Amino acid sequence: MNLFGRKSKQPDNQNRMNEELGKKGLRMTPQRLMIIAAIEKSDNHIGADEIYTQVVEKYPNVNISTVYRTLDVLEEMGMVTKTDLGGGRVQYHPAEKGHHHHLVCRECGKITDLDEAALSVLKETLLRHYNFVADLRHMGIWGYCAKCNRQVVKEA
Amino acid sequence: MNLFGRKSKQPDNQNRMNEELGKKGLRMTPQRLMIIAAIEKSDNHIGADEIYTQVVEKYPNVNISTVYRTLDVLEEMGMVTKTDLGGGRVQYHPAEKGHHHHLVCRECGKITDLDEAALSVLKETLLRHYNFVADLRHMGIWGYCAKCNRQVVKEA
DNA sequence: TTAAATGCAAACGCTTTGCAATTGA
DNA sequence: TCAATTGCAAAGCGTTTGCATTTAA
């Protein structure tokens, strides 16, 4: 899997990326390659800090600010999606993996993906009743996962 | 309306509050009174900064840290509810007003309350399909409100 | 009297920014 | 070549904390 929705390996991936960058007069750099690789490797979501940690291992002098700047570029180019789950948790996703939501466990922190379709009913309701166009690409639902909800007092 | 779900005015309000505080060996202070007043005055939600701004007007030397500390106490006592909407927006609510959700407009920032019942179907689905106990007391849904969604390109 | 609460200043964690040096096209 | 990109250090933001002082009970 790669950021452009193809199944090809490295070289093509890079070419495609160069293309996209070129369109905007932007450049490919080793840092960007590694950041993109980290996002692709992540299964659906990853935070800036995790990306940084991964990249630093192989490229010890990257700076966290480069990670943030690259993330901004990728988002602007539509290659990654950003989700603010609240509680200081911001996650990035390969765009080609489609939109999805997150069930975040308060207990163990685990994030489970939830297909977009699961919320289509809600989206319709909000539009009809409130005239509110919900952007359900960016949503986190907090609670307790299957593993943790046995040990926790449940209300609400 | 007051934090304890009664319709009485100031004096009783204070008495009741003293009681609650007393139970835990805590004290009533002018700062706490004003902070509580600000939350009650807010119609359903208010941020720490807004509380601070309001209180400073009448009590110029309060400190923002006192606001946060009081908010913690109130939350612990079950008098206010805290919701992290993401994007650095944390809102506090008088607890007696019941649980509700928030439709947050990306364009104008407006927050619309949404009744808890509106999401009960979703909650059921998540429990059945994912064994996930969703805490829908704390949720923000981002998108575009009725006023703004006319001027904005809509996808998803 | 005395523990709780406050103001202040400093630190926090995450993110952003200014700038001079570096580097890809 | 030369603008885009980087690393670095500093700042920004909302929030938290340590501590000496004040204050409610």
Side-chain angles (χ1 to χ4, degrees):
Chain A
M1 252 175 276
N2 65 62
L3 287 175
F4 306 96
R6 296 218 196 146
K7 284 167 189 164
S8 50
K9 298 284 178 187
Q10 291 312 320
D12 191 45
N13 204 337
Q14 291 181 28
N15 288 341
R16 186 75 202 283
M17 206 179 302
N18 274 322
E19 240 175 66
E20 294 283 337
L21 288 168
K23 281 181 195 168
K24 302 205 171 192
L26 305 178
R27 298 169 182 170
M28 179 50 74
T29 66
Q31 292 92 332
R32 285 181 176 173
L33 268 178
M34 301 202 64
I35 291 167
I36 287 165
I39 298 171
E40 285 186 348
K41 201 167 60 176
S42 82
D43 189 42
N44 259 353
H45 47 251
I46 189 170
D49 52 331
E50 296 170 86
I51 294 172
Y52 176 67
T53 306
Q54 276 187 43
V55 175
V56 157
E57 270 178 40
K58 298 191 177 178
Y59 199 114
N61 64 322
V62 264
N63 194 274
I64 185 72
S65 65
T66 299
V67 173
Y68 281 108
R69 284 188 280 226
T70 298
L71 251 12
D72 285 348
V73 169
L74 291 174
E75 200 191 356
E76 228 168 78
M77 294 173 72
M79 297 190 204
V80 303
T81 297
K82 183 181 179 178
T83 306
D84 186 337
L85 298 174
R89 302 186 69 160
V90 178
Q91 300 283 122
Y92 294 86
H93 321 270
E96 100 280 358
K97 292 190 177 168
H99 305 143
H100 58 271
H101 317 288
H102 308 79
L103 304 178
V104 190
C105 183
R106 273 188 209 292
E107 190 71 11
C108 67
K110 186 188 169 197
I111 300 177
T112 304
D113 290 338
L114 175 64
D115 190 69
E116 191 166 26
L119 295 181
S120 54
V121 176
L122 174 61
K123 190 180 160 93
E124 280 244 329
T125 305
L126 297 181
L127 186 60
R128 212 187 320 272
H129 292 10
Y130 296 83
N131 227 319
F132 186 89
V133 180
D135 180 357
L136 298 181
R137 293 172 307 176
H138 305 261
M139 199 159 83
I141 298 174
W142 294 72
Y144 296 98
C145 73
K147 196 183 107 218
C148 297
N149 73 33
R150 292 177 209 111
Q151 314 139 6
V152 180
V153 182
K154 292 155 258 180
E155 341 95 271
Chain B
M1 255 175 272
N2 66 63
L3 287 177
F4 307 96
R6 297 220 196 141
K7 284 166 188 165
S8 52
K9 298 284 179 189
Q10 290 311 319
D12 190 45
N13 206 336
Q14 291 180 29
N15 288 341
R16 186 75 203 283
M17 206 178 307
N18 275 321
E19 239 175 67
E20 295 282 337
L21 288 168
K23 280 183 195 167
K24 302 206 171 195
L26 305 179
R27 297 168 184 170
M28 180 48 76
T29 65
Q31 291 92 334
R32 285 182 176 173
L33 269 178
M34 301 201 64
I35 291 167
I36 288 163
I39 298 171
E40 285 186 346
K41 202 167 60 175
S42 81
D43 188 44
N44 259 351
H45 48 249
I46 189 170
D49 53 331
E50 294 169 88
I51 294 172
Y52 176 67
T53 306
Q54 275 187 44
V55 175
V56 158
E57 269 178 41
K58 298 191 177 177
Y59 198 114
N61 63 321
V62 266
N63 193 275
I64 185 72
S65 63
T66 299
V67 173
Y68 282 108
R69 284 189 280 227
T70 298
L71 251 12
D72 285 346
V73 169
L74 291 174
E75 200 190 357
E76 228 167 78
M77 294 172 73
M79 296 189 201
V80 303
T81 296
K82 183 180 180 180
T83 305
D84 185 337
L85 298 174
R89 302 187 70 160
V90 177
Q91 300 284 121
Y92 294 86
H93 322 269
E96 99 281 356
K97 291 188 179 170
H99 305 143
H100 58 270
H101 315 287
H102 309 78
L103 303 178
V104 190
C105 182
R106 274 187 208 292
E107 190 70 13
C108 67
K110 186 188 170 197
I111 298 177
T112 305
D113 290 338
L114 174 64
D115 190 68
E116 190 167 27
L119 295 182
S120 54
V121 176
L122 174 60
K123 190 181 161 87
E124 280 244 330
T125 305
L126 297 181
L127 185 60
R128 211 189 318 274
H129 292 10
Y130 296 84
N131 227 317
F132 187 88
V133 180
D135 182 357
L136 298 181
R137 293 172 305 176
H138 305 264
M139 199 160 85
I141 297 175
W142 294 72
Y144 297 97
C145 74
K147 196 183 107 217
C148 298
N149 73 33
R150 292 178 208 110
Q151 313 139 7
V152 179
V153 182
K154 290 156 259 179
E155 343 96 88

